[in-house]
Amino acid sequence: MPLPDSSQWIWPQWRPHPRVRCVVTTRLGRHSPAPWAGFNLGQNCGDDPARVELARRHVHKRLAVDHPPAWLEQVHGDRIIQAGDPDSRADGVWTPQAGWPCVVLTADCLPVLLARADGTAVAAVHAGWRGLHAGILARAVETLAPQGQTLSAWLGPAISANAYQVGEDVHRAFVSLGPEYKKAFRRDGKPGHWRFSLAYAATLTLNAAGVADVSGGDHCTASDPVHFYSYRAEGQTGRFASLVWLDALDA
């Protein structure tokens, strides 16, 4: 089936340094059959592994970079690895090497792309509510900026508060981290039911970790089934990718 052209993907204007590049794939295309209809890049959602591998090779080809993307086996935890680590069970990946895309896959969880302002390293982080609560973003900041280097963050497509209902357990877990997280929730009309903004909670966490430059968070996966997969809206479905990498230094 036809593979998508990269013009069907989202190319954010986020450019914290001239070397930093990023892109978000979409589900546009006719490569994957239902229920992954479109362009699925997830290996753990029931799709044919060979078809997914072909899609992943297509991404590498379209990016025209030296290394294939550093695909992860995401586990909703707080582990960050460096690209090339043979143990890919993690929810974040970083690299100082040019031409090696860091990538996370999502279908409602929040993808967070990070870059040093001096253009020497980048990272991609998968931040569902469990990983966010476990501190994955603070760990990513510590990993990418061990000497307090200035970082910039971009928040990719995720389920918005208008579509994301959670229970009292999630509300209680975040408010226990600090009263400022109360602003990430609004009541949903029923006792014990809340609407939760992953993007707002992530911004609070990043700001507290010293990242003042945070942008993005404008796309809702559950509200845009044309471009994005949404696990909450669809159940069994595919995954799209958010990637960040460094261009080579000028000769």
Side-chain angles (χ1 to χ4, degrees):
M1 292 184 178
L3 290 157
D5 186 84
S6 55
S7 64
Q8 296 174 286
W9 301 343
I10 296 169
W11 296 85
Q13 295 299 307
W14 178 64
R15 288 293 294 278
H17 187 275
R19 293 185 67 199
V20 176
R21 297 285 187 273
C22 62
V23 68
V24 179
T25 67
T26 68
R27 70 184 301 173
L28 294 175
R30 290 180 291 130
H31 176 67
S32 309
W36 315 277
F39 186 60
N40 170 47
L41 292 163
Q43 281 285 20
N44 297 313
C45 51
D47 199 354
D48 176 52
R51 182 166 49 232
V52 175
E53 184 57 33
L54 178 60
R56 291 184 173 193
R57 289 199 302 269
H58 179 70
V59 172
H60 182 202
K61 180 180 179 180
R62 285 294 178 181
L63 297 187
V65 291
D66 293 338
H67 295 274
W71 305 101
L72 300 175
E73 182 184 344
Q74 295 168 193
V75 292
H76 293 276
D78 65 349
R79 183 169 180 256
I80 310 288
I81 64 170
Q82 186 168 345
D85 190 322
D87 183 357
S88 63
R89 292 171 297 175
D91 286 272
V93 56
W94 76 283
T95 187
Q97 293 185 241
W100 201 334
C102 295
V103 56
V104 289
L105 298 172
T106 55
D108 282 337
C109 291
L110 180 68
V112 180
L113 306 183
L114 294 163
R116 289 184 191 155
D118 62 3
T120 59
V122 292
V125 182
H126 165 240
W129 80 260
R130 290 179 178 83
L132 188 57
H133 180 264
I136 192 168
L137 290 183
R139 186 177 297 275
V141 171
E142 292 170 2
T143 301
L144 205 60
Q147 278 81 50
Q149 295 97 323
T150 300
L151 300 182
S152 176
W154 185 79
L155 311 181
I159 193 168
S160 69
N162 288 335
Y164 193 20
Q165 183 187 77
V166 298
E168 185 60 40
D169 56 333
V170 178
H171 177 257
R172 188 182 305 113
F174 277 90
V175 173
S176 70
L177 298 178
E180 65 273 19
Y181 285 94
K182 290 180 180 179
K183 293 184 178 180
F185 295 85
R186 69 171 187 265
R187 292 192 180 275
D188 194 32
K190 303 176 184 177
H193 290 74
W194 302 84
R195 297 287 175 169
F196 179 43
S197 173
L198 280 168
Y200 190 88
T203 300
L204 288 174
T205 301
L206 288 164
N207 291 166
V211 182
D213 181 20
V214 181
S215 58
D218 304 320
H219 298 282
C220 175
T221 48
S223 302
D224 188 357
V226 172
H227 293 93
F228 306 115
Y229 294 110
S230 171
Y231 181 79
R232 278 267 175 148
E234 302 172 80
Q236 187 176 20
T237 190
R239 302 292 185 271
F240 62 89
S242 298
L243 306 101
V244 62
W245 68 100
L246 294 170
D247 271 351
L249 290 168
D250 293 335

